[in-house]
Amino acid sequence: WLGVICFLGATIEESVTNWVALFFTDHIGTSDGIAPAGYAAYAGSLLMMRLVGDRLKPRYGAQKLITAGTITAAFGVALAIMIPTFWIGLIGFIAAGAGVALTFPMVFSAAGREGATALASVATMGYLGGMVSQPVMGTLVDHVELSGGFLFLVAVMLMVALLSWKAELLSK
């Protein structure tokens, strides 16, 4: 299950990274000059949470952090879809970045405890998810618009939350 969680986590991270600026111009209606603020909010919160995440793990555990984080991320993106304003969009993508930030490090850590083969397998699934997600996201955006593509990501975030809650290796 760690491989599936990593695959889906990469799908989320790559898709938001590649599509958030377009989300800000097309869905929220910002100018091309302001749209990178959405990416900066997402990437900045992703970075900050990765810097502090290891300090949270002993207190809460990987399983709870990933589950709560991806639920928070899903809420943030859903909020940005439903209330398409600049400030709500920024808040939503700050929540998304912070929420998904710990998935990779904590899944890799759990896989590493199982050995090099498990870690390599999980990492491969993650990279595959990042590559496959872009044509999938492009097809979704083409058929159900940008908000539909981001609703798909909300569903993927909730799926990660459910899988991480059930993944026994994350509770160790």
Side-chain angles (χ1 to χ4, degrees):
W1 290 113
L2 293 180
V4 174
I5 293 168
C6 197
F7 179 93
L8 297 173
T11 297
I12 296 164
E13 281 196 34
E14 288 293 321
S15 295
V16 174
T17 297
N18 292 331
W19 292 87
V20 67
L22 188 61
F23 182 88
F24 269 76
T25 57
D26 287 9
H27 186 72
I28 293 178
T30 64
S31 68
D32 289 342
I34 299 296
Y39 172 76
Y42 171 74
S45 67
L46 188 84
L47 172 65
M48 295 306 294
M49 184 55 81
R50 283 197 174 148
L51 291 174
V52 300
D54 277 343
R55 293 186 192 112
L56 299 173
K57 188 178 176 185
R59 184 172 184 175
Y60 299 105
Q63 192 173 45
K64 287 180 183 173
L65 287 170
I66 295 172
T67 302
T70 50
I71 289 170
T72 301
F75 178 76
V77 173
L79 190 66
I81 293 168
M82 292 185 295
I83 306 172
T85 65
F86 177 75
W87 292 108
I88 297 295
L90 278 183
I91 291 167
F93 282 97
I94 288 170
V100 300
L102 300 179
T103 303
F104 272 125
M106 297 201 176
V107 168
F108 282 1
S109 176
R113 286 192 305 272
E114 297 300 307
T117 303
L119 179 57
S121 297
V122 167
T124 300
M125 291 290 291
Y127 292 121
L128 182 63
M131 290 188 302
V132 169
S133 65
Q134 297 320 289
V136 169
M137 188 70 172
T139 302
L140 283 170
V141 168
D142 192 39
H143 287 87
V144 293
E145 297 183 8
L146 202 53
S147 59
F150 275 89
L151 279 174
F152 167 74
L153 293 179
V154 168
V156 173
M157 290 170 186
L158 294 174
M159 192 178 307
V160 169
L162 177 65
L163 291 172
S164 64
W165 185 251
K166 297 290 185 182
E168 292 179 23
L169 291 175
L170 289 173
S171 65
K172 294 180 181 180

